[in-house]
């Protein structure tokens, strides 16, 4: 049973959302708005989809640093949004029609799929599939059971990635996907999704790539689109948009796996993280709980070690942001930071030595690399990333790291970080609200979120998964593009949940199933008060700048 | 006593064991769970050879094709290069030849090249005959060793010979870009002890915990060894 409430019933002061800040450390644009803009571009390909030119701009400004700064300012702005907003409304109407037609066909599609695969008639691909025990393929029961499949292929239908099973053995399936998408594309239209029984299949065309998610998790089309976009961005972060385009311009049927070899682990890890970490759902970053004086010292230490051309200096511990220093003009997008966090999670090779890695941050500039000096500081869990535009600047960054390390050691900051990581996030009991089981709170003005650790009754991974899908459900209901809600109170069989969106924050709180609406509302007000009290410890409020 | 500082780049196709060789030499360990290098990793190693304090700056590069465009940055101003192949893959041996060509084309200063045929413990799967490796290395005037990071064979010797070659290069061609200074031995005595980077120490401990048998191989770090 879902009930929506009127917002006056909640009396908290919305203008001072806890954890808010005037100087956001991250880009705070709403990810759903971004997605709509992005999708609207499918119809009109002429507008630029990608951020680009920022790196060139920094390099240029370095070369003649005194000359015209006006020009630079102009180029950083986001593409104009007015026109795009108009584009969206037109586009959605158009789409709902398309969806209806496709749903009719969808059952046929699923039934016939296997037949087509067996006969191998699609695109005359010869089926090489042998009954394999170890590797799953389309006929194995285990493969069919997975809750969310993700496929990536080239426009020519060449397999690039499959989350489960060997993509080589899925060539025929890739052929079917390619046929479906290009069939609709021929009519200057784009295929968005197909509903087939309990499965939602979502299609995203990012020329020259096609991305598909087939999910039985109950996630919405938007949520799956966002995840596909992350997968796409992960590929860009390795290759850059420029390089990707150039390759396929030269050879349409290029096998991209050659260039991506070794990237599967990052795509896999990203897909798994998106199924368990709320940061993707919220497009927000979790700050490491830390005394604000310690955090300030860390920030100042990083700031004072500034070297030329250093764009971002990021300190991350255990997937959480400690602090971030950025060039005055350039702000990092949380989605880019998620890719960085995924990079650190998925590879152990950074732990053994200092690394020098070319990384493309697609929301910052998809046309080029930032060169990143990555090092774990003194066998602590704290990992420092220094990102610059200068490919040759390893030595400078190495010196910069040494300076920062010395300062952090002098002020005992590494020990503080270690302690905080060891202690983990706070428990729900610390918040002191008896009915409360768990919550997620995102401050919109800083794109940061906070959540207690998974305490009882969510200590079991299966229970965590169930709670996470409840959050996803409430999230998708309040963010429904056709009917966005401010407040939603939902009573389920295991728990009740309250979702509340204001201009300043998003809050999702979970209670026992017998909790009433009134009690829940009182409780969320208490949560807000508690967060306000703790905000300096939980959020990064005053990031230093270069 | 003199001090010599050299930049050494480790090249080769993916999966031949570049990182394993470097980690074996610098950290005296073998990790079964080395994940592919991304971009490049940087290690420094100091030792005393033939009355020289040699400081090697080791650039361990990623073998994947997409990082090939970064290679010029690694071998720029390099004084020596290890080019590694896997004796169980003829393809990896072919790529050694293309690396040599690229170095010859792009590096003007004299360069010590050392070809390493890694994974020599997998003799039964060998695809590249020992003779072929030796002959190829001789034809380009390079050092050659077959090594095993797993069994710790040939690696100490390869680094030692490379250092000696660097020393003789610095003597025969003073303008080759090698940094040679007088070494003040009264200063910083403690630096003579080979230091293992803290990050590698953590890895050492992890492996020691996981695998007790490996422990006996982990001899206390020696003073570089000399002849």
């Amino acid at each position: 049973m879902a009930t929506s409430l009127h917002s006056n019933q909640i009396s908290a002061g919305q203008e001072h959302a806890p954890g808010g800040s005037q100087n956001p450390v991250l880009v705070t644009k709403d990810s759903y708005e971004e997605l709509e803009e992005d999708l609207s571009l499918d119809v009109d390909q002429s507008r630029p989809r990608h951020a680009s030119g920022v790196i060139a701009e920094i390099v240029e400004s370095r070369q003649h640093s005194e000359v015209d700064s006006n020009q630079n300012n102009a180029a950083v702005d986001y593409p104009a949004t007015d026109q795009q907003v108009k584009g969206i409304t037109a586009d959605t109407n158009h789409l709902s029609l398309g969806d209806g037609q496709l749903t009719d066909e969808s059952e046929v599609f699923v039934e016939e799929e296997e037949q087509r695969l067996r006969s191998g008639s699609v695109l005359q691909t010869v089926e090489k599939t042998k009954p394999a025990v170890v590797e799953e393929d389309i006929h194995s029961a285990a493969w069919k059971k997975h809750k969310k499949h993700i496929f990536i292929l080239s426009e020519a239908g060449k397999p690039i990635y499959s989350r489960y099973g060997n993509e080589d053995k899925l060539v025929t399936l890739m052929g079917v996907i390619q046929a479906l998408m290009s069939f609709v594309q021929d009519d200057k239209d784009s295929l968005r999704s197909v509903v087939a029984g309990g499965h939602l299949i979502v299609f995203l065309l990012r020329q020259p790539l096609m991305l598909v998610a087939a999910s039985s998790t109950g996630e919405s089309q938007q949520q799956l689109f966002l995840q596909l976009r992350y997968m796409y961005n992960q590929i860009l972060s390795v290759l850059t948009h420029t390089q990707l385009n150039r390759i396929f311009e030269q050879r349409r049927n290029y096998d991209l796996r050659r260039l991506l070899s070794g990237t599967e682990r990052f795509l896999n890890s990203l897909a798994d993280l998106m199924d368990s970490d709320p940061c993707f759902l919220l497009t927000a970053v979790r700050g490491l709980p830390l005394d604000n004086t310690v955090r300030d010292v860390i920030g100042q230490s990083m700031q004072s070690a500034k070297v030329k051309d250093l764009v971002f200096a990021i300190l991350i511990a255990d997937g959480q942001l400690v602090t971030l220093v950025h060039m005055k003009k350039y702000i990092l997008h949380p989605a880019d930071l998620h890719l960085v966090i995924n990079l650190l999670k998925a590879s152990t090779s950074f732990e053994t030595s200092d690394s020098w890695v070319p990384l493309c941050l697609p929301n910052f500039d998809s046309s080029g690399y930032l060169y990143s000096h990555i090092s774990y500081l003194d066998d602590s869990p704290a990992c420092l990333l220094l990102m610059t535009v200068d490919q040759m600047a390893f030595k400078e960054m190495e010196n910069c790291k040494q300076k920062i390390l010395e300062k952090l050691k002098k002020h005992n900051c590494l020990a503080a970080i270690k302690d905080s990581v060891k202690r983990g996030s706070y428990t729900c009991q610390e918040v002191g609200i008896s009915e409360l089981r768990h919550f997620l709170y995102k401050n919109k003005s800083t794109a940061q979120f906070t959540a207690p650790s998974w305490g009882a009754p969510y200590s079991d991974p299966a229970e965590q998964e169930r709670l996470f899908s409840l959050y996803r459900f409430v999230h998708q209901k309040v963010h429904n593009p056709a009917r966005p809600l401010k407040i939603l109170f939902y009573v389920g069989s295991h728990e009740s949940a309250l979702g509340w969106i204001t201009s300043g924050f998003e809050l999702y709180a979970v209670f026992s199933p017998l909790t009433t609406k009134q009690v829940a509302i009182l409780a969320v007000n208490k949560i807000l008060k508690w967060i306000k009290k703790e905000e300096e410890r939980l959020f990064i409020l005053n990031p230093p700048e270069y | 006593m003199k001090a010599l500082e050299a930049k050494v780049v480790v090249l080769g196709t993916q999966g031949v064991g570049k990182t394993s060789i470097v980690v074996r030499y610098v950290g005296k360990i073998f990790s079964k769970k080395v994940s592919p290098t991304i971009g490049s990793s940087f290690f420094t190693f100091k030792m005393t050879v033939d009355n020289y304090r040699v400081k090697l700056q080791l650039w361990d590069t990623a073998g994947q094709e997409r990082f090939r465009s970064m290679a010029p940055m690694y071998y720029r101003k390099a004084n020596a290069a290890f080019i590694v192949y896997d004796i169980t893959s003829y393809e990896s041996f072919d790529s050694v030849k293309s690396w040599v060509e690229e170095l010859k084309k792009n590096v003007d200063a004299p360069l010590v090249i050392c070809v390493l045929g890694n994974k020599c413990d997998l003799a039964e799967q060998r695809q590249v005959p020992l003779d072929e490796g030796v002959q190829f290395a001789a034809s380009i005037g390079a050092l050659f060793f077959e090594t095993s990071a797993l069994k710790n064979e040939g690696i100490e010797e390869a680094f030692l010979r490379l250092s000696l070659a660097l020393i003789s290069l610095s003597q025969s061609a003073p303008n080759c870009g090698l940094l040679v200074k007088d070494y003040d031995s009264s200063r910083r005595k403690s630096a003579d002890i080979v230091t293992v980077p803290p990050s590698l120490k953590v890895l050492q401990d992890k492996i020691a915990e996981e695998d007790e048998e490996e422990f006996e191989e982990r001899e206390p770090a020696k003073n570089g060894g000399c002849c």
Side-chain angles (χ1 to χ4, degrees):
Chain A
M1 180 195 78
T3 332
S4 52
L5 303 174
H6 200 264
S7 58
N8 321 349
Q9 280 181 266
I10 295 187
S11 57
Q14 295 180 8
E15 55 281 5
H16 300 296
S21 168
Q22 296 292 319
N23 313 313
V25 64
L26 298 164
V27 174
T28 54
K29 210 169 179 203
D30 185 75
S31 55
Y32 281 79
E33 273 169 32
E34 259 179 16
L35 179 71
E36 288 296 335
E37 277 169 28
D38 202 6
L39 291 175
S40 73
L41 294 179
D42 286 347
V43 183
D44 182 1
Q45 293 283 350
S46 62
R47 272 173 297 186
R49 185 196 297 282
H50 295 279
S52 72
V54 182
I55 290 176
E57 185 187 296
I58 298 174
V59 174
E60 203 174 293
S61 72
R62 169 175 64 155
Q63 281 157 357
H64 10 81
S65 48
E66 307 87 25
V67 199
D68 55 10
S69 55
N70 313 340
Q71 203 187 353
N72 293 340
N73 291 335
V76 206
D77 290 341
Y78 286 95
T81 47
D82 284 359
Q83 294 176 333
Q84 287 170 354
V85 175
K86 276 180 211 153
I88 295 168
T89 36
D91 186 36
T92 34
N93 296 338
H94 183 59
L95 262 174
S96 49
L97 263 177
D99 272 359
Q101 285 167 355
L102 283 161
T103 329
D104 296 340
E105 284 179 3
S106 62
E107 278 169 49
V108 188
F109 156 61
V110 173
E111 279 166 19
E112 281 185 0
E113 191 180 73
E114 259 179 65
Q115 282 185 334
R116 284 192 219 171
L117 289 173
R118 289 222 177 82
S119 60
S121 63
V122 180
L123 296 179
Q124 285 124 33
T125 33
V126 187
E127 204 174 346
K128 289 181 286 186
T129 330
K130 285 174 206 158
V133 195
V134 194
E135 278 187 332
E136 298 171 0
D137 65 25
I138 196 157
H139 301 301
S140 76
W143 190 84
K144 286 180 190 165
K145 262 192 192 148
H146 292 298
K147 283 188 177 156
K148 193 193 291 166
H149 282 277
I150 295 174
F151 309 105
I152 304 174
L153 54 149
S154 71
E155 269 190 300
K158 282 229 173 175
I160 293 170
Y161 169 80
S162 165
R163 187 177 178 191
Y164 301 107
N166 183 342
E167 63 279 350
D168 267 337
K169 299 194 170 166
L170 301 171
V171 271
T172 42
L173 177 67
M174 303 283 183
V176 173
I177 294 169
Q178 194 259 357
L180 275 171
M181 288 182 82
S182 48
F183 178 76
V184 180
Q185 212 186 329
D186 275 350
D187 290 343
K188 302 258 181 298
D189 209 337
S190 49
L191 176 58
R192 291 277 167 86
S193 67
V194 170
V195 180
H199 280 78
L200 177 64
I201 306 167
V202 169
F203 301 83
L204 182 68
L205 178 67
R206 281 286 168 272
Q207 275 155 342
L209 304 182
M210 292 173 161
L211 300 100
V212 179
S215 148
S216 59
T217 55
E219 281 163 278
S220 71
Q221 196 182 314
Q222 274 83 4
Q223 286 170 336
L224 292 171
F225 268 134
L226 275 178
Q227 293 173 19
L228 287 181
R229 214 164 60 144
Y230 267 110
M231 297 300 269
Y232 174 67
N233 280 345
Q234 175 66 60
I235 290 182
L236 290 190
S237 88
V238 169
L239 292 178
T240 73
H241 187 244
T242 316
Q243 199 184 343
L244 185 67
N245 269 357
R246 197 175 47 225
I247 292 160
F248 282 101
E249 267 162 29
Q250 283 164 359
R251 282 176 58 192
R252 264 183 59 80
N253 61 350
Y254 185 81
D255 185 353
L256 197 64
R257 284 175 302 170
R258 265 175 58 129
L259 270 188
L260 285 178
S261 69
T263 310
E264 301 88 350
R265 58 164 56 222
F266 298 107
L267 291 166
N268 286 335
S269 141
L270 183 65
D272 292 345
L273 265 183
M274 287 192 294
D275 281 345
S276 61
D277 193 328
C279 71
F280 297 94
L281 184 70
L282 299 171
T283 332
V285 172
R286 194 198 283 246
L288 181 78
L290 210 58
D291 211 42
N292 71 322
T293 50
V294 178
R295 205 190 304 275
D296 285 348
V297 170
I298 297 174
Q300 282 155 14
S301 308
M302 283 161 68
Q303 190 187 25
S304 63
K306 184 206 174 359
V307 285
K308 215 177 88 199
D309 299 333
L310 183 56
V311 186
F312 298 115
I314 310 170
L315 193 63
I316 292 172
D318 192 30
Q320 301 168 71
L321 185 63
V322 179
T323 195
L324 166 71
V325 191
H326 57 93
M327 260 190 189
K328 206 164 200 162
K329 280 193 295 184
Y330 308 105
I331 298 186
L332 196 62
H333 194 287
D336 285 341
L337 196 52
H338 290 153
L339 292 180
V340 170
I341 290 171
N342 180 49
L343 176 79
L344 299 182
K345 273 235 162 85
S347 178
T348 54
S349 79
F350 303 117
E351 288 165 22
T352 44
S353 63
D354 295 0
S355 300
W356 186 240
V357 175
L359 257 185
C360 168
L361 301 178
N363 292 290
F364 174 71
D365 187 343
S366 65
S367 65
Y369 291 117
L370 283 179
Y371 296 89
S372 314
H373 183 284
I374 304 179
S375 56
Y376 280 84
L377 299 177
D378 232 23
D379 71 55
S380 74
C383 180
L384 179 70
L385 290 106
L386 301 170
M387 305 180 128
T388 171
V389 291
D390 184 359
Q391 189 181 358
M392 300 295 179
F394 178 84
K395 264 258 107 74
E396 287 86 339
M397 296 302 141
E398 180 78 19
N399 294 339
C400 176
K401 173 221 155 178
Q402 284 303 338
K403 273 190 213 157
I404 294 175
L405 179 61
E406 272 162 35
K407 283 194 178 134
L408 294 187
K409 269 175 154 173
K410 200 173 110 196
H411 295 105
N412 261 332
C413 297
L414 291 176
I417 292 172
K418 229 185 222 168
D419 283 349
S420 174
V421 168
K422 208 172 156 195
R423 211 178 316 123
S425 195
Y426 50 92
T427 63
C428 205
Q429 280 75 34
E430 280 176 60
V431 185
I433 301 163
S434 54
E435 305 84 13
L436 184 68
R437 288 193 180 169
H438 198 263
F439 69 89
L440 301 176
Y441 172 88
K442 173 194 174 182
N443 183 291
K444 284 186 178 173
S445 72
T446 53
Q448 293 173 48
F449 83 101
T450 183
S453 54
W454 302 106
Y458 305 110
S459 5
D460 179 45
E463 286 297 295
Q464 285 171 18
E465 201 184 313
R466 202 176 47 74
L467 176 62
F468 190 58
S469 66
L470 176 67
Y471 277 134
R472 278 203 293 229
F473 171 79
V474 176
H475 183 267
Q476 104 188 25
K477 287 287 171 213
V478 293
H479 282 95
N480 188 336
R483 192 165 154 267
L485 301 175
K486 287 209 165 77
I487 298 169
L488 173 88
F489 187 65
Y490 169 81
V491 181
S493 50
H494 291 87
E495 51 262 294
S496 57
L498 185 83
W500 182 17
I501 314 291
T502 73
S503 56
F505 63 82
E506 292 181 27
L507 177 65
Y508 307 89
V510 173
F511 306 92
S512 74
L514 298 176
T515 308
T516 60
K517 220 158 45 186
Q518 281 72 23
V519 173
I521 288 168
L522 281 176
V524 290
N525 281 320
K526 278 191 213 160
I527 299 177
L528 291 177
K529 271 191 202 125
W530 184 84
I531 295 173
K532 184 76 197 163
K533 201 178 78 196
E534 300 284 325
E535 65 176 1
E536 293 196 314
R537 196 168 65 89
L538 302 176
F539 295 97
I540 299 146
L541 299 177
N542 296 306
E545 287 172 355
Y546 286 137
Chain B
M1 186 128 157
K2 284 185 172 169
L4 181 144
E5 196 172 329
K7 177 175 172 181
V8 182
V9 57
V10 187
L11 303 168
T13 197
Q14 55 180 301
V16 296
K18 296 179 290 301
T19 304
S20 290
I21 289 175
V22 173
V23 167
R24 163 59 87 186
Y25 186 67
V26 179
K28 313 284 173 220
I29 37 169
F30 181 78
S31 170
K32 288 171 199 140
K33 291 181 208 147
V34 169
S35 57
T37 308
I38 307 158
S40 62
S41 308
F42 180 75
F43 297 85
T44 50
F45 192 82
K46 292 175 195 154
M47 59 176 147
T48 310
V49 193
D50 201 14
N51 218 20
Y52 270 83
R53 280 291 293 164
V54 180
K55 184 177 173 190
L56 298 181
Q57 297 174 345
L58 283 168
W59 283 87
D60 175 27
T61 66
Q64 275 102 10
E65 196 179 312
R66 66 172 181 278
F67 294 112
R68 192 87 184 212
S69 59
M70 276 183 88
M73 182 211 140
Y74 303 134
Y75 55 63
R76 184 174 156 259
K77 289 191 180 167
N79 307 109
F82 281 111
I83 308 177
V84 186
Y85 68 91
D86 171 357
I87 63 153
T88 68
S89 152
Y90 203 88
E91 215 184 325
S92 71
F93 183 61
D94 277 335
S95 83
V96 172
K97 297 168 189 164
S98 73
W99 275 117
V100 171
E101 271 165 39
E102 190 169 341
L103 288 176
K104 290 255 149 91
K105 220 189 286 169
N106 295 301
V107 183
D108 302 330
L111 185 75
V112 178
I113 295 180
C114 179
V115 177
L116 299 179
N118 194 31
K119 306 194 189 177
C120 69
D121 49 292
L122 298 174
E124 68 279 8
Q125 294 167 42
R126 178 190 284 274
Q127 281 185 12
V128 186
L130 177 62
D131 286 353
E132 214 174 323
V134 173
Q135 276 166 20
F136 173 73
S139 74
I140 57 162
L143 299 165
F144 177 82
F145 298 92
E146 282 205 343
T147 57
S148 164
L150 176 72
K151 301 262 187 236
N152 196 12
E153 280 167 25
I155 294 171
E156 292 274 342
E157 197 184 352
F159 274 86
L160 194 61
R161 295 281 168 195
L162 184 97
S163 306
L164 288 169
L166 280 167
I167 290 168
S168 61
L169 180 70
S170 73
Q171 289 161 347
S172 62
N175 298 325
C176 65
L178 268 170
L179 202 63
V180 185
K181 281 186 220 149
D182 282 329
Y183 183 70
D184 181 5
S185 56
S186 61
R187 193 176 55 99
R188 297 184 63 185
K189 265 276 186 239
S190 60
D192 276 1
I193 298 159
V194 177
T195 47
V196 177
S199 48
L200 279 176
K201 263 189 198 136
V202 178
L203 188 66
Q204 276 185 352
D205 295 344
K206 267 192 210 160
I207 291 170
E209 277 168 29
E210 278 167 21
D211 200 340
E212 287 291 332
E213 289 150 41
E214 201 98 47
F215 199 73
E216 54 192 67
E217 275 189 28
R218 221 160 52 80
E219 290 167 58
K222 279 186 292 186
N223 196 358
C226 68
C227 28

